[in-house]
Amino acid sequence: FVLNAVIAYNMNDMILHSYHRRKVAPMKLSTSYKEVAVVYSFAILFTAWMIVDVPWSPFHFYETEGEKRGAFGSPDGGPFNTLGDMAVLLSLFVVPTTYVIFVRIRIWWRKLLPKSGRTRVLSLFFMRIIIIFLCFYLPKTALDAASSSLGESRSTKTFWLGQTAALLSALQAYATLYFISTKD
């Protein structure tokens, strides 16, 4: 989600300069590396925060009937209850998602990126990102959250939510490859 927000930010900047007929030098490779490093560092820290078994973790693991399960909320004595944990995690997903959608609506509203002429390729590229984001990332995240919030690990609901989320992950890869392979 954060990577999509970074891409949206850079595209928004580039589109605004183009719309105002200002020439801008291409982004330096070192700047791209720094942005990628920040995004991956954020992802690593977030993942570690979720899986490290410490009292201040927003997710904890427990064993029932010989099966290891995970649940939202800190372990006993931790700072997060389930509701607080969901609020924190939701905000970590909602802020970048809202920004990406805001940028797309702003570009559409102000007609900054026409779908014809010299900006057609850029317009299609940005639209592909939005389609992948809205059709695959958001539903998969919602399904994963719904699946992990259910208490039963062997229920039919949990199974189908998990399988549908996995299917969306696989389809996202194919959709991305399809979009990359088409020039228009």
Side-chain angles (χ1 to χ4, degrees), residues 134-166:
L134 294 177
C135 294
F136 294 101
Y137 288 149
L138 289 179
K140 182 196 178 311
T141 302
L143 290 171
D144 283 338
S147 174
S148 63
S149 68
L150 293 174
E152 321 94 37
S153 62
R154 296 183 183 199
S155 74
T156 307
K157 287 179 191 175
T158 305
F159 172 79
W160 283 111
L161 287 172
Q163 292 302 313
T164 306

Side-chain angles (χ1 to χ4, degrees), residues 64 70 83 96 98:
T64 55
L83 183 61
T98 304

Side-chain angles (χ1 to χ4, degrees), residues 19-143:
Y19 183 76
H20 294 295
R21 311 291 191 262
R22 285 181 274 187
K23 230 176 195 192
V24 178
M27 184 187 298
K28 293 180 183 176
L29 198 54
S30 62
T31 304
S32 295
Y33 287 149
K34 288 174 188 172
E35 288 179 353
V36 168
V38 167
V39 168
Y40 279 104
S41 298
F42 180 77
I44 290 168
L45 289 172
F46 179 73
T47 303
W49 184 41
M50 291 294 286
I51 63 172
V52 173
D53 197 16
V54 292
W56 42 268
S57 177
F59 195 78
H60 69 281
F61 297 95
Y62 61 92
E63 247 185 79
T64 55
E65 301 172 11
E67 185 177 312
K68 196 161 186 151
R69 283 288 294 158
F72 285 110
S74 297
D76 292 336
F80 293 105
N81 61 15
T82 304
L83 183 61
D85 181 44
M86 290 300 280
V88 168
L89 295 177
L90 191 62
S91 69
L92 289 173
F93 291 117
V94 167
V95 171
T97 302
T98 304
Y99 180 73
V100 170
I101 293 170
F102 165 76
V103 167
R104 180 61 192 133
I105 290 171
R106 184 172 161 218
I107 289 170
W108 168 75
W109 188 271
R110 293 185 176 180
K111 297 179 180 31
L112 297 176
L113 193 59
K115 293 178 186 156
S116 61
R118 297 177 67 161
T119 59
R120 178 176 169 73
V121 173
L122 189 58
S123 176
L124 290 174
F125 175 75
F126 195 56
M127 204 57 213
R128 289 171 185 161
I129 290 173
I130 297 297
I131 289 170
I132 295 290
F133 195 68
L134 294 177
C135 294
F136 294 101
Y137 288 149
L138 289 179
K140 182 196 178 311
T141 302
L143 290 171

Side-chain angles (χ1 to χ4, degrees), residues 3-19:
L3 183 58
N4 286 318
V6 169
I7 290 171
Y9 172 80
N10 287 328
M11 288 194 69
N12 184 46
D13 189 47
M14 185 172 42
I15 290 165
L16 284 174
H17 285 298
S18 173
Y19 183 76

